[in-house]
Amino acid sequence: MLLLIGCSNYKNLTLRNINVPSLSGEWRVAAQLVLPLTIKPKCKPIEKGTTFKFIQDRFEVYLDTAWIPCDVFHFKSTKNTISFIKEDMVWLCFYELTGSILKLKSTDFFIVNNPDTSATMQEVVVTLMKKQSKNSFK
């Protein structure tokens, strides 16, 4: 249920994201500050070279060259936040997009997958590089 509070001219109300940079395309993990990482609930492990693919409102994660996603989420983006949605769960990532570099920062979407680490709820940063379209997969 969406509840908007405040005054506005409903005739001109639009739900499109205006001036939100496009995340569409394929991105490869270039760096991450913490190793090893997983994504809730299925993808293990996220490493350098893992492919993230944003298609319209869908986000897919590919761990290898088999091109079968390890997980698929719906997503919505605003100026600096991505909401990843699966069934009744929502995870938030803040992002910075500068040219062909995308940085994702989250305390709950990425999980440190190390039993020796007692750090919980720490912000994890994953840096992605835009993959050139000529090498795109289907």
Side-chain angles (χ1 to χ4, degrees), residues 66-112:
W67 304 129
I68 299 169
C70 70
D71 214 341
V72 177
F73 299 82
H74 290 284
F75 80 94
K76 295 185 184 294
S77 64
T78 61
K79 186 175 179 182
N80 66 350
T81 306
I82 304 171
S83 302
F84 293 102
I85 305 152
K86 187 156 189 113
E87 297 169 4
D88 63 345
M89 299 295 293
V90 177
W91 298 277
L92 296 178
C93 272
F94 295 99
Y95 74 91
E96 297 172 12
L97 179 58
T98 309
S100 62
I101 298 174
L102 173 63
K103 288 187 179 183
L104 301 177
K105 302 174 183 182
S106 181
T107 58
D108 64 353
F109 188 62
F110 299 106
I111 305 165
V112 177

Side-chain angles (χ1 to χ4, degrees), residues 20-82:
V20 174
S22 175
L23 301 173
S24 294
E26 297 173 24
W27 301 82
R28 293 235 182 222
V29 174
Q32 52 201 70
L33 297 179
V34 180
L35 292 169
L37 291 178
T38 63
I39 291 179
K40 291 181 180 180
K42 296 181 182 177
C43 291
K44 298 177 186 175
I46 302 304
E47 300 174 337
K48 188 174 181 178
T50 298
T51 300
F52 291 179
K53 188 173 182 182
F54 291 91
I55 311 165
Q56 294 176 353
D57 67 343
R58 218 167 81 171
F59 171 71
E60 301 172 347
V61 180
Y62 297 85
L63 298 179
D64 54 32
T65 57
W67 304 129
I68 299 169
C70 70
D71 214 341
V72 177
F73 299 82
H74 290 284
F75 80 94
K76 295 185 184 294
S77 64
T78 61
K79 186 175 179 182
N80 66 350
T81 306
I82 304 171

